[in-house]
Amino acid sequence: MQFLLAFIVVIPLVGAVAALLPAPPGLKGAGPDQAVLRHGVTVTGAVLVAAIVLAAGFDHDHPSKMQATTDISWIPALDVRIHLGIDGISLPLLVLTALLTFLCALYSYFKLPAGPSPKAFVALLLVLESGTLATFAVLDLLLFFLAFEMVLIPMYFLIARWGGAQRQAAAWKFILYTLLGSVVMLLGLLLVGLKSGTFDMVALATDNGRGLTSSVQVIAVLAIGIGLAVKTPMWPLHSWLPDAHTAAPTVGSVLLAGVLLKMGTYGFVRILLPITPDGMHTFAPYLAAFAVVGIIYGSLACLALVRPGSKGDLKRLIAYSSVGHMGFVLLGIASMTPTGVNGALFANIAHGLITGLLFFLVGAVKDRYGTADLDTLSGATGAALYGRAPRLGGLLAFAAVASLGLPGLAGFWGEMLALFGSFDPADGLSRPAFLTFMSIAAFGTLLTAAYMLMVVRRVCMGEKREAPQLADVQTYEFAAWTPLVALTVLAGLWPAVLLGLTDPAVQKLLAGGKS
């Protein structure tokens, strides 16, 4: 199993190098471009199969135990090790990354975004996958930082070279925000490693902050937290996200929302909660306050965009909705309780599935209409997707109600558990303050329902005007979207699939490494 995990992390890098080489004559198919796109589907498919095998071989009776571990000395002078492993917290994120990247590669095989060479596109996609998988698999602070940074350059080029209008400005904003946040985060990681004498995340989590003074923990949480908050993105460090999503190609938006945002919240759970508990205890009320402001701000921004006459972009609206949804994740983490942290991890996966599906669908609508502008789409009465492309309209309505947290679908459980965690926060945190945060966040769910239902009304409903019939869901789109729909329903009806994995690991994490 340890070789399987190393294979999952490394093989996309090997595939990226191979994508840049000339294709063997027998594999070119209709041409070199088709060959390299098929190569991308093959490599990401192999990674997905390996991730599923890893999940099947995972010891589900002991999900709090680090499994499939590799521990090799890399830089002895700094005691930096190539340390890989997974538990119930990282396994779902690993599988989600492999799944979404495969679906993006499959979608791109049939619908490649306009831009330069397909070779570069596939290579960047594979490097992005390798960096994201490594982020969820490494157990050394410096390796975590390297993997965390590894995804920035490929995402920058995917936006800048294959994106839409304003792509250069959006790509620069993305890279500057995330790099500046990462510089501050590196200082915090070095502070923790040098003060404690090790960069090993398992040893640091087991020590549970006992080797670090309270002042060191406070400084470390502030520094590391800023870098993670930029990637999450937490209000007010979110302003790069709407521009990046609006300009990015469809698959770039899917991976940015479905996978990259999770790296920030994963860092809060894996690093800050167990390694610097005193510092997190100090900052938890502030983190919760920023989280609920983000929930309300994101919802109000979406309501402003969906209002008739506002010229709101549908991709930009979904991006602002992510700010609100990730606010629930941060609120669950800030409660510092098993209930809240489990809710945060569940909401992470649910957001990846649902928002990934939403960006796929919005990309399909934009391809058919030539625009994602809501006023242009809906006209006087509505875009009438139900009448013109009923399957596409039905899927968009399904994703919208899943995003607003309809019971029975994946979006419900994470937000509910985050609210429960705020209802009874960890010892030492102000319960009246967290009850206030809970009330504000609960109001945010009503705002979410309002703007999502307005999107459905304007895009899916309306009179079927005299216009050419739109192409409904194509076979390749059906293949790319069905897994996301099925998993959204499965996680909503059977939440124990995820909570059974995360809960023992979270309990151990918050108990200082003790099961």
Side-chain angles (χ1 to χ4, degrees):
M1 297 296 286
Q2 65 188 41
F3 297 112
L4 194 58
L5 181 58
F7 171 86
I8 289 170
V9 172
V10 172
I11 200 63
L13 275 182
V14 178
V17 174
L20 298 174
L21 301 176
L27 297 178
K28 284 188 177 179
D33 290 353
Q34 187 189 49
V36 76
L37 291 171
R38 187 189 299 124
H39 169 78
V41 175
T42 303
V43 174
T44 55
V47 172
L48 176 59
V49 170
I52 292 171
V53 172
L54 184 68
F58 187 81
D59 184 359
H60 291 265
D61 293 329
H62 301 91
S64 62
K65 177 186 175 185
M66 280 295 172
Q67 302 180 34
T69 54
T70 299
D71 192 0
I72 304 168
S73 179
W74 184 35
I75 307 176
L78 295 176
D79 194 28
V80 178
R81 311 182 68 81
I82 299 177
H83 192 182
L84 305 176
I86 53 166
D87 62 359
I89 292 171
S90 50
L91 178 63
L93 290 165
L94 198 81
V95 176
L96 176 69
T97 301
L99 173 65
L100 284 177
T101 312
F102 169 71
L103 296 180
C104 286
L106 180 65
Y107 188 85
S108 300
Y109 180 80
F110 295 96
K111 191 72 178 178
L112 183 69
S117 163
K119 281 191 172 189
F121 178 85
V122 171
L124 289 169
L125 194 69
L126 292 173
V127 172
L128 183 69
E129 179 180 33
S130 182
T132 312
L133 291 167
T135 302
F136 299 135
V138 297
L139 297 172
D140 183 277
L141 289 178
L142 291 186
L143 277 184
F144 176 86
F145 175 78
L146 293 176
F148 198 85
E149 295 304 287
M150 184 176 164
V151 304
L152 300 184
I153 300 304
M155 182 53 74
Y156 166 81
F157 281 110
L158 285 174
I159 296 171
R161 303 302 299 275
W162 284 269
Q166 306 295 321
R167 59 181 182 269
Q168 292 289 347
W172 273 110
K173 197 170 186 180
F174 163 76
I175 200 75
L176 288 175
Y177 264 76
T178 48
L179 278 178
L180 287 173
S182 297
V183 169
V184 181
M185 183 177 76
L186 176 61
L187 296 176
L189 294 174
L190 290 173
L191 176 66
V192 169
L194 296 175
K195 287 293 185 180
S196 62
T198 181
F199 290 96
D200 187 88
M201 290 158 67
V202 176
L204 287 166
T206 304
D207 189 57
N208 200 220
R210 287 182 285 271
L212 300 170
T213 64
S214 293
S215 58
V216 168
Q217 290 190 39
V218 168
I219 296 169
V221 169
L222 184 61
I224 299 170
I226 287 173
L228 297 174
V230 171
K231 187 66 73 74
T232 296
M234 181 186 78
W235 182 91
L237 303 173
H238 68 284
S239 60
W240 61 269
L241 184 73
D243 292 338
H245 271 309
T246 305
T250 296
V251 294
S253 292
V254 171
L255 291 175
L256 185 58
V259 177
L260 264 67
L261 304 190
K262 313 300 173 285
M263 294 164 61
T265 51
Y266 174 77
F268 276 103
V269 174
R270 177 64 75 196
I271 297 174
L272 295 186
L273 277 178
I275 296 175
T276 56
D278 293 344
M280 272 298 291
H281 197 278
T282 300
F283 281 106
Y286 303 102
L287 180 63
F290 283 124
V292 296
V293 170
I295 292 170
I296 301 300
Y297 172 84
S299 299
L300 292 176
C302 291
L303 284 169
L305 288 169
V306 80
R307 191 178 67 250
S310 64
K311 289 291 182 183
D313 186 281
L314 195 48
K315 287 187 74 175
R316 195 174 190 84
L317 184 145
I318 304 302
Y320 272 113
S321 78
S322 292
V323 176
H325 289 306
M326 299 313 288
F328 280 99
V329 177
L330 291 172
L331 180 61
I333 293 170
S335 72
M336 298 185 70
T337 61
T339 302
V341 176
N342 274 303
L345 294 171
F346 197 103
N348 254 347
I349 301 298
H351 179 265
L353 296 171
I354 297 167
T355 308
L357 177 60
L358 274 170
F359 275 116
F360 269 134
L361 294 165
V362 171
V365 170
K366 187 174 182 179
D367 289 338
R368 285 157 172 79
Y369 279 94
T371 181
D373 179 76
L374 272 166
D375 288 336
T376 306
L377 283 174
S378 58
T381 61
L385 269 187
Y386 286 155
R388 301 185 66 194
R391 293 185 182 87
L392 182 59
L395 281 170
L396 184 60
F398 168 84
V401 297
S403 183
L404 64 82
L406 185 73
L409 298 176
F412 171 72
W413 295 105
E415 294 181 1
M416 186 193 72
L417 290 173
L419 294 175
F420 278 176
S422 300
F423 181 77
D424 189 16
D427 293 341
L429 296 177
S430 169
R431 192 168 185 230
F434 272 83
L435 286 174
T436 304
F437 299 145
M438 183 196 75
S439 303
I440 297 171
F443 177 66
T445 62
L446 300 178
L447 297 178
T448 304
Y451 70 73
M452 278 300 177
L453 292 176
M454 289 175 71
V455 167
V456 172
R457 179 175 62 82
R458 297 194 68 195
V459 179
C460 298
M461 300 179 185
E463 298 175 10
K464 187 178 176 183
R465 302 181 294 277
E466 290 297 326
Q469 188 76 5
L470 291 176
D472 211 339
V473 178
Q474 305 294 301
T475 304
Y476 71 92
E477 293 172 329
F478 183 79
W481 303 341
T482 299
L484 301 179
V485 173
L487 290 172
T488 298
V489 174
L490 177 65
L493 295 178
W494 192 17
V497 171
L498 276 177
L499 295 175
L501 282 171
T502 61
D503 185 52
V506 168
Q507 298 275 2
K508 181 178 179 180
L509 207 66
L510 294 178
K514 303 180 185 67
S515 298

